[in-house]
Amino acid sequence: MKPKQIPGIPIQKGGGSHDTESTKQYSIFEIDAKFEILKQRFFSVNHWQSYCGKTAAEFKHYDSSGQPVDRIPKKGDFIRIGIPGPGTKEADGFDWVEIVNMSHCDTGSITSYLMMCRPSKVPNKTKGNVAHFYSPAATANIMISKEGNILKSAVYGRNEKPNYRAGFADRIRNFFIAAGGIFGMSKIQWKVLAKGLIDFT
């Protein structure tokens, strides 16, 4: 199945991809209030794991200089990810992504917010390799939207290839995790996030 072509999300050129979506329907009288809750959750990166459960990945928000922050994310910020299983030696057991774009779209019928993330180096290191199991060509595009009385939370993965620009141990680790991601393991974690963000019960 071909990945969806969505405005603002990179075109799939090679490697793995996924369209991971979760939706909920509300009455027209409560949809706006529910979307406000979803927006608050979407912008609260440090709390994502609490919405998903302890078996989910841990997300921590950092500014462009590598300092921990707790605010609305913006372009140039970073997210440190602690996935279940072995982590990178490059980043003391974590994976890192940079927020390369934040956008908002309101067409009148659809309102959406998009956070585009790309594998990155550890932000406070002047030297080093990309600290992620995917190469920098990959993007994780996290989106929330409201259309009519439907809320959607989604993650769209594009151009997911293993990161081989790393130390030997990390290259081995990246190959197995990226290969697992391409065949569905990564999608399971993103599905947990997409569902967790939108589950208010």
Side-chain angles (χ1 to χ4, degrees):
M1 187 174 180
K2 289 186 177 181
K4 295 181 178 180
Q5 293 189 16
I6 300 170
I9 293 177
I11 295 172
Q12 173 67 14
K13 295 180 179 179
S17 68
H18 65 87
D19 298 327
T20 305
E21 301 175 330
S22 187
T23 60
K24 277 202 171 184
Q25 182 173 343
Y26 293 95
S27 75
I28 201 67
F29 303 105
E30 59 182 347
I31 189 69
D32 289 339
K34 296 297 185 182
F35 190 50
E36 287 301 313
I37 296 173
L38 181 55
K39 282 166 55 179
Q40 291 174 10
R41 288 174 165 235
F42 175 73
F43 290 128
S44 300
V45 174
N46 292 323
H47 302 281
W48 283 357
Q49 187 184 41
S50 68
Y51 306 140
C52 304
K54 293 183 178 180
T55 59
E58 176 192 56
F59 299 87
K60 293 296 180 183
H61 184 191
Y62 291 77
D63 66 15
S64 59
S65 63
Q67 296 301 308
V69 291
D70 193 10
R71 56 161 168 74
I72 292 176
K74 61 182 181 181
K75 182 179 177 180
D77 285 352
F78 291 85
I79 300 174
R80 190 191 73 183
I81 307 171
I83 65 169
T88 63
K89 291 185 179 296
E90 181 74 30
D92 298 322
F94 297 100
D95 293 273
W96 287 84
V97 295
E98 181 181 358
I99 300 173
V100 295
N101 192 34
M102 293 286 299
S103 60
H104 170 230
C105 181
D106 191 344
T107 65
S109 59
I110 303 175
T111 303
S112 66
Y113 292 85
L114 172 65
M115 181 189 304
M116 183 188 297
C117 299
R118 191 180 296 280
S120 72
K121 297 180 180 180
V122 178
N124 53 10
K125 284 188 176 181
T126 56
K127 295 182 179 180
N129 299 305
V130 167
H132 197 281
F133 52 87
Y134 285 142
S135 77
T139 58
N141 304 276
I142 307 162
M143 177 182 282
I144 59 168
S145 64
K146 177 185 70 169
E147 181 176 6
N149 66 335
I150 302 292
L151 292 188
K152 180 187 289 184
S153 175
V155 184
Y156 302 101
R158 296 292 183 267
N159 304 302
E160 298 171 334
K161 296 181 180 180
N163 172 28
Y164 293 130
R165 293 188 176 182
F168 178 75
D170 281 347
R171 288 201 302 270
I172 300 299
R173 176 253 186 193
N174 294 345
F175 170 77
F176 283 105
I177 294 182
I182 290 167
F183 291 111
M185 289 176 64
S186 176
K187 181 172 179 176
I188 292 171
Q189 281 293 322
W190 288 127
K191 184 66 177 179
V192 169
L193 178 62
K195 184 177 179 181
L197 287 176
I198 209 168
D199 186 2
F200 309 147
T201 56

